[in-house]
Amino acid sequence: MKPILTGFRNSPDRGRGHARDFRVRWALEEVGQPYDLKLVTFAEMKEAAYKAEQPFGQIPAYIEGDLTLFETGAILFHIAETHAGLFPVEAHARARVITWMFSALNTVEPPIVEREAFLLLEKEKPYFNDRLPLLEERVRKRLSDLSSRLAAREWLEDQFSAADILMITVLRRPAGAQLASQFPNLAAYVLRGESRPAFKRAFESQQLREPV
């Protein structure tokens, strides 16, 4: 049975791969797992039937037989555990990859999302020009630390992993990409991810607009 992944029927990102279901699409393409796509409207996302699958009325939800998951980190962890290719075999390397997965979602992404929301929602506020540099500095500090840790490495660990999917998709968010471009090794890291065949297949799959 193919898993079912939910996504926006009309995505706010207009197919640029910023919606969170894209992370799961990319992971499934990397491991060669076919899947079906269930596209939902914003109204459907708030209905009880959908919230039984995704309690917070967001995307994505991931349904695999009698297993239903939400939160992209948990979904990628499950995919990596049940398919070869996204977790190292060696135990310590696997633990480090899991650490980087948490880091992408809990350390790097939050200040990027905060800046993104501020730019979208508070641009007309009188305090906008005073607060924006503070938010940008928070993002820049995270990116600087990540850039130093990545250094000349190709991936976060010795091989491409689920952590790279999460970190690269975080860095691709518009509010992060604007600042990440200031760090040459981070920009090159994102380009390496975007050059992977599985990334390209996942990106192209966003053109599908009919629900299962």
Side-chain angles (χ1 to χ4, degrees), residues 36-71:
D36 287 322
L37 190 64
K38 178 182 179 181
L39 300 175
V40 293
T41 65
F42 286 99
E44 289 169 337
M45 290 164 58
K46 305 308 176 186
E47 293 175 357
Y50 184 75
K51 293 186 78 172
E53 300 171 344
Q54 218 294 358
F56 301 100
Q58 300 173 324
I59 57 101
Y62 176 90
I63 302 98
E64 184 182 286
D66 59 0
L67 173 67
T68 300
L69 299 174
F70 61 98
E71 295 294 339

Side-chain angles (χ1 to χ4, degrees), residues 11-173:
S11 178
D13 78 346
R14 300 183 184 276
R16 288 175 289 184
H18 301 315
R20 286 186 171 89
D21 64 293
F22 179 76
R23 302 167 178 181
V24 183
R25 298 189 196 206
W26 185 3
L28 292 168
E29 293 290 349
E30 287 284 351
V31 301
Q33 172 61 59
Y35 61 97
D36 287 322
L37 190 64
K38 178 182 179 181
L39 300 175
V40 293
T41 65
F42 286 99
E44 289 169 337
M45 290 164 58
K46 305 308 176 186
E47 293 175 357
Y50 184 75
K51 293 186 78 172
E53 300 171 344
Q54 218 294 358
F56 301 100
Q58 300 173 324
I59 57 101
Y62 176 90
I63 302 98
E64 184 182 286
D66 59 0
L67 173 67
T68 300
L69 299 174
F70 61 98
E71 295 294 339
T72 55
I75 296 168
L76 261 68
F77 189 98
H78 171 72
I79 293 170
E81 277 207 315
T82 54
H83 299 78
L86 293 180
F87 272 162
V89 174
E90 198 274 321
H92 285 182
R94 180 177 178 275
R96 288 192 297 270
V97 164
I98 294 169
T99 297
W100 279 114
M101 292 175 71
F102 277 89
S103 175
L105 300 178
N106 294 338
T107 302
V108 181
E109 186 170 43
I112 290 175
V113 171
E114 184 181 15
R115 178 176 183 260
E116 194 169 276
F118 185 74
L119 289 170
L120 289 172
L121 303 176
E122 302 184 62
K123 203 162 189 176
E124 304 303 321
K125 300 295 184 180
Y127 51 77
F128 180 84
N129 289 331
D130 291 330
R131 182 165 171 73
L132 181 60
L134 173 63
L135 298 181
E136 289 187 342
E137 183 54 32
R138 289 177 181 171
V139 176
R140 195 173 285 109
K141 178 62 168 66
R142 293 295 191 221
L143 298 181
S144 177
D145 289 341
L146 177 62
S147 174
S148 296
R149 176 61 177 82
L150 185 65
R153 299 170 69 95
E154 186 176 20
W155 308 114
L156 293 171
E157 284 296 321
D158 291 338
Q159 65 188 67
F160 179 84
S161 71
D164 295 299
I165 293 177
L166 291 175
M167 190 67 78
I168 288 169
T169 52
V170 165
L171 295 178
R172 290 185 75 250
R173 294 185 70 105

